[in-house]
Amino acid sequence: EVQLQASGGGLVQAGASAKLSCEASGFANRDYAIGWFRQAPGKEREGLSWISSADHSTSYADSVKSRFTTSNDRTKKTTYLQMNSLIPQDTAHYYCALILGWVTFPDYKPTLDDVEFWGKGTQVTVSS
C-alpha cells in the first residue's frame, strides 16, 4: 500500500522558517515525482512545487518560488519543502502528492487529476 507521511508542521512566528518532510513508502524502487500543495480554510487547494526523483528537476508556483525550496532524497524516498520568511498567509494544511514514473520539470505540468496518491498532510500555522 502506497503511503505518504508528511511531518514538520506546527506553529511558527512570521518571518521564521519551517521544513516539511514527506516520506513515501509502499512501492518498489522506481522514479517518481512529489508535489507539495496547501489548502487554507475556505480556499481551494493550491499547488506549490514539484520535484522529480529521477533528475531532481523542479517547478514552483509563482507565489512561493522566491521563498520555498523543494528537495528530494531518492534513497530515503523522502521529499522536503523548506519554507523561509513565512507570513500569516502561509497558514494552511500542507499536503504532499505522488506521481509514479519518470517525469521532468518544468516540461511536465501535472494537474490534480494526474496525482495518484495523496498524503494526509500537516498543519502549518504562522502567527503574526
Side-chain angles (χ1 to χ4, degrees):
E1 178 186 6
V2 175
Q3 291 188 337
L4 300 173
Q5 183 64 50
S7 60
L11 177 64
V12 297
Q13 289 191 334
S17 298
K19 188 173 185 178
L20 306 182
S21 299
C22 174
E23 183 177 2
S25 62
F27 59 96
N29 287 335
R30 57 180 297 188
D31 297 327
Y32 59 92
I34 293 288
W36 285 100
F37 293 77
R38 67 184 178 188
Q39 188 165 19
K43 294 189 177 181
E44 293 186 353
R45 189 166 295 192
E46 176 188 14
L48 304 175
S49 67
W50 281 98
I51 186 166
S52 166
S53 73
D55 62 6
H56 289 187
S57 58
T58 58
S59 66
Y60 294 92
D62 289 341
S63 59
V64 300
K65 64 181 180 181
S66 65
R67 299 185 295 122
F68 291 8
T69 302
T70 188
S71 59
N72 171 261
D73 185 332
R74 181 187 173 95
T75 60
K76 295 182 180 179
K77 290 183 181 174
T78 300
T79 303
Y80 306 95
L81 184 68
Q82 176 68 44
M83 306 184 294
N84 298 327
S85 303
L86 286 164
I87 58 178
Q89 292 84 348
D90 293 320
T91 295
H93 204 76
Y94 285 71
Y95 300 87
C96 52
L98 171 69
I99 295 175
L100 293 171
W102 186 93
V103 298
T104 189
F105 300 100
D107 295 349
Y108 181 54
K109 296 176 172 53
T111 66
L112 289 179
D113 289 340
D114 295 318
V115 173
E116 298 179 64
F117 300 95
W118 291 94
K120 293 184 178 179
T122 184
Q123 178 69 28
V124 175
T125 302
V126 183
S127 63
S128 58

